[in-house]
Amino acid sequence: MSSSALNTVLSTRISNVVNANNNRVRVGVRTQPFFNPASVTFTARRLTVRAQETNAKEVKSQAPDKAPSAGGSNFNQLLGIKGAAQETNKWKIRLQLTKPVTWPPLVWGVVCGAAASGNFHWNLEDVAKSIVCMLMSGPCLTGYTQTLNDWYDREIDAINEPYRPIPSGAISENEVITQIWVLLLAGLGLAGLLDIWEGHNFPIVFYLALGGSLLSYIYSAPPLKLKQNGWIGNFALGASYISLPWWAGQALFGTLTPDIIVLTLLYSIAGLGIAIVNDFKSVEGDRAMGLQSLPVAFGAETAKWICVGAIDITQLSVAGYLLGAGKPLYALALVALIIPQVFFQFQYFLKDPVKYDVKYQASAQPFLVLGLLVTALATSH
């Protein structure tokens, strides 16, 4: 999981909301909960998943062939981002659901955790372990999270993006559910393998993976559906992208200590701010679906200051922590990385968070990600 892509895709909600009075549309999917009584049958040749149907309100949608993605980019389709071309190849559709563009931040988190452990060595075995940990965090468990989120967002996507794979009917319900299970079990399996490989007496990587998977589920799925609350949902999202992969990397090569847990959770408040950036584009859709994002709850003007405050104050607090811990050079380096972020906030984001969101993220977020590595290196010495 490129740093500029972190926030471009953290949110699966899109702001191009179709006016309900002018466009009544019907989506060709049945609404059924992912974990409603389901039977899973394994045979030598295939995995079959059957989920019991439930009654739910149907959501109407435009015909997919009228969707604006018809002339979209094949590259965007493979990355799973806005402007994707319509695709009929099932494997490309499956890849699109996992949103590969969201994998690099998790991969970077593993790098930071390994660096913070102080025990990573540039030999074949440690490099191989780190690659497996990255596969677990990125393609498997982030792919599981993104597919699961698209499954539970299929109704709002039917309004905002009716041409996406699930609401358009490009992939069947059972195929989506099967993909969710396969990615989840693969991620947990790799986590268990890493614990055995490293010789852990307690399977800490497995339990971190299991906890992160549970967090992903309650973030997207009712009845808790954390994403309905702007504060809790965005913090959970920030922790998933910053804290969890860091913890996995550090626990794999070293010891996960309480001070690191607190420090990374503090950094996750900056992740909360990053997640808010994407909420501005989907205010109308969030309001229509009852999602209390911060721009909906506080208004755009207040929410954008909450956003930049969460990002900047968090990093300044971490710099203060490093200074107090006797790491003045690392603290100074972190402050130097905060300055360009503040500049780009005034240059782009605070002027118009919808119009300039991509420019802001592409310009500012690399400095935040480098700050994570600076912090990781500081804690390893």
Side-chain angles (χ1 to χ4, degrees):
M1 312 181 190
S2 75
S3 62
S4 64
L6 168 61
N7 302 304
T8 306
V9 295
L10 285 181
S11 171
T12 61
R13 297 164 290 181
I14 309 300
S15 64
N16 298 322
V17 180
V18 180
N19 189 296
N21 294 325
N22 297 326
N23 297 284
R24 294 193 176 187
V25 288
R26 185 174 302 276
V27 70
V29 295
R30 299 187 301 271
T31 52
Q32 64 183 53
F34 173 62
F35 282 115
N36 209 48
S39 63
V40 182
T41 304
F42 290 88
T43 69
R45 301 180 63 182
R46 66 179 180 176
L47 167 67
T48 304
V49 180
R50 299 182 180 88
Q52 181 180 339
E53 296 181 30
T54 61
N55 294 325
K57 181 178 66 176
E58 291 186 357
V59 179
K60 299 180 179 180
S61 162
Q62 284 181 322
D65 58 358
K66 297 181 181 179
S69 69
S73 164
N74 290 324
F75 183 70
N76 287 10
Q77 188 274 328
L78 290 175
L79 291 180
I81 60 178
K82 183 171 61 177
Q86 291 186 29
E87 183 57 65
T88 57
N89 183 291
K90 280 294 173 65
W91 288 106
K92 289 184 178 180
I93 292 171
R94 289 185 181 279
L95 183 63
Q96 180 181 0
L97 284 174
T98 66
K99 294 185 178 64
V101 76
T102 63
W103 301 349
L106 281 294
V107 171
W108 187 258
V110 172
V111 170
C112 291
S117 72
N119 292 322
F120 176 83
H121 302 94
W122 287 102
N123 56 50
L124 182 60
E125 184 177 14
D126 280 6
V127 169
K129 289 176 183 176
S130 65
I131 290 173
V132 173
C133 193
M134 291 172 187
L135 288 173
M136 174 199 74
S137 300
C140 292
L141 294 183
T142 304
Y144 150 78
T145 298
Q146 296 293 351
T147 307
L148 182 74
N149 192 62
D150 266 25
W151 173 252
Y152 282 108
D153 270 1
R154 63 195 185 278
E155 293 187 1
I156 193 170
D157 284 344
I159 299 173
N160 291 339
E161 295 181 286
Y163 44 86
R164 286 192 60 78
I166 297 176
S168 70
I171 187 168
S172 71
E173 295 178 0
N174 280 345
E175 287 172 326
V176 175
I177 293 171
T178 300
Q179 175 162 319
I180 291 169
W181 276 109
V182 168
L183 291 172
L184 173 62
L185 295 176
L188 295 178
L190 290 177
L193 172 65
L194 287 169
D195 282 317
I196 295 172
W197 193 352
E198 187 62 22
H200 291 156
N201 293 324
F202 178 80
I204 185 168
V205 178
F206 174 82
Y207 279 108
L208 286 172
L210 185 63
S213 302
L214 177 61
L215 180 63
S216 297
Y217 177 74
I218 64 175
Y219 172 80
S220 298
L224 294 179
K225 199 164 188 174
L226 300 181
K227 66 189 298 180
Q228 292 183 114
N229 182 287
W231 292 108
I232 299 175
N234 285 336
F235 182 77
L237 198 60
S240 296
Y241 275 81
I242 294 177
S243 298
L244 284 171
W246 181 317
W247 296 350
Q250 182 154 350
L252 177 61
F253 293 104
T255 302
L256 186 59
T257 56
D259 60 321
I260 291 296
I261 293 175
V262 172
L263 183 64
T264 51
L265 286 176
L266 176 62
Y267 237 122
S268 296
I269 298 175
L272 178 150
I274 294 170
I276 297 171
V277 173
N278 298 281
D279 289 338
F280 290 92
K281 297 182 294 184
S282 54
V283 169
E284 295 303 323
D286 289 349
R287 186 179 289 118
M289 298 300 294
L291 300 179
Q292 286 296 305
S293 66
L294 296 188
V296 171
F298 294 96
E301 190 64 27
T302 301
K304 66 185 183 182
W305 286 103
I306 294 174
C307 174
V308 299
I311 294 171
D312 298 341
I313 294 173
T314 296
Q315 293 178 93
L316 288 171
S317 299
V318 173
Y321 168 83
L322 295 178
L323 184 63
K327 308 292 177 75
L329 293 180
Y330 289 101
L332 183 61
L334 186 55
V335 170
L337 291 169
I338 296 171
I339 293 172
Q341 294 178 60
V342 175
F343 171 79
F344 289 120
Q345 286 164 0
F346 281 93
Q347 180 74 15
Y348 295 123
F349 183 73
L350 292 173
K351 287 182 179 179
D352 191 331
V354 176
K355 181 179 179 181
Y356 295 117
D357 67 321
V358 175
K359 282 187 176 181
Y360 164 66
Q361 293 176 82
S363 302
Q365 301 316 320
F367 296 99
L368 184 144
V369 172
L370 287 174
L372 281 170
L373 184 58
V374 167
T375 304
L377 292 172
T379 59
S380 68
H381 293 83

